[in-house]
Amino acid sequence: MRVYDSREELPVDFRDLLRHADEAAARAYAEYSHFQVGAAILMNNGMVVTGANQENAVYPCGLCAERVAAFAASSAYPEVPFNMIAVTAINPVEPLREPVAPCGSCRQVLFEYEQKFGHPIEVLLAGQQGPVYHLQSVATLLPYTFHAGFLPK
Ligand code: THU
């Protein structure tokens, strides 16, 4: 993992993808937690697909930004690998000073697409301020992973 001390230090293409994630976070439907998360996936065809968390009065029905983005991307472009996902969040009470950490379910979902295409998905994690983490693959976020190879053939 590479740690950038701030967004200003990022290469311009990383900063651009993070800007898409910022814009998605601003569109979150976070009626209950008020924690707005945005994800932006750079596809291998150059398209960017975004997602924001969607909450629900029946709390477990909601979905994280990363999965909203991943499912939208895979639905729109089922044969196109994901190159990178940028994730960020807005805490309206006090600015988030550390990178947001994707939940276990989102790591598992992203890992599925990494495996499907045999193509690493780089991960860029940011808060509103402070450091940005750049990881080479989803696998690095999910050791000893359950994968399709365990299932009956
Ligand atoms: N959330 C995400 O969308 N992504 C994450 O990486 C962490 C958590 C959402 C789920 C819920 O809507 C809110 O943030 C609080 O957990």
Side-chain angles (χ1 to χ4, degrees), residues 29-39 51-56 59 62-68 87-89 100-103 106 125:
Y29 180 61
E31 189 68 15
Y32 304 99
S33 73
H34 305 293
F35 187 67
Q36 299 169 271
V37 186
N53 54 329
Q54 302 296 313
E55 298 188 349
N56 192 283
Y59 290 7
L63 199 63
C64 294
E66 297 90 324
R67 274 176 287 167
V68 171
V87 188
T88 191
V100 65
C103 79
C106 289
L125 302 175

Side-chain angles (χ1 to χ4, degrees), residues 114 119-123 134-142:
E114 195 164 87
H119 182 87
I121 304 170
E122 295 177 55
V123 182
H134 176 217
L135 299 106
Q136 291 305 324
S137 71
V138 174
T140 66
L141 281 172
L142 198 62

Side-chain angles (χ1 to χ4, degrees), residues 17-28 36-42 48-53 64-70 72 84-89 100 102 106 110 124-125:
L17 195 63
L18 212 41
R19 192 167 343 103
H20 283 284
D22 286 334
E23 288 167 8
R27 296 190 293 267
Q36 299 169 271
V37 186
I41 297 175
L42 175 63
V48 173
V49 179
T50 63
N53 54 329
C64 294
E66 297 90 324
R67 274 176 287 167
V68 171
M84 181 182 273
I85 182 167
V87 188
T88 191
V100 65
C106 289
L110 291 167
L124 200 60
L125 302 175

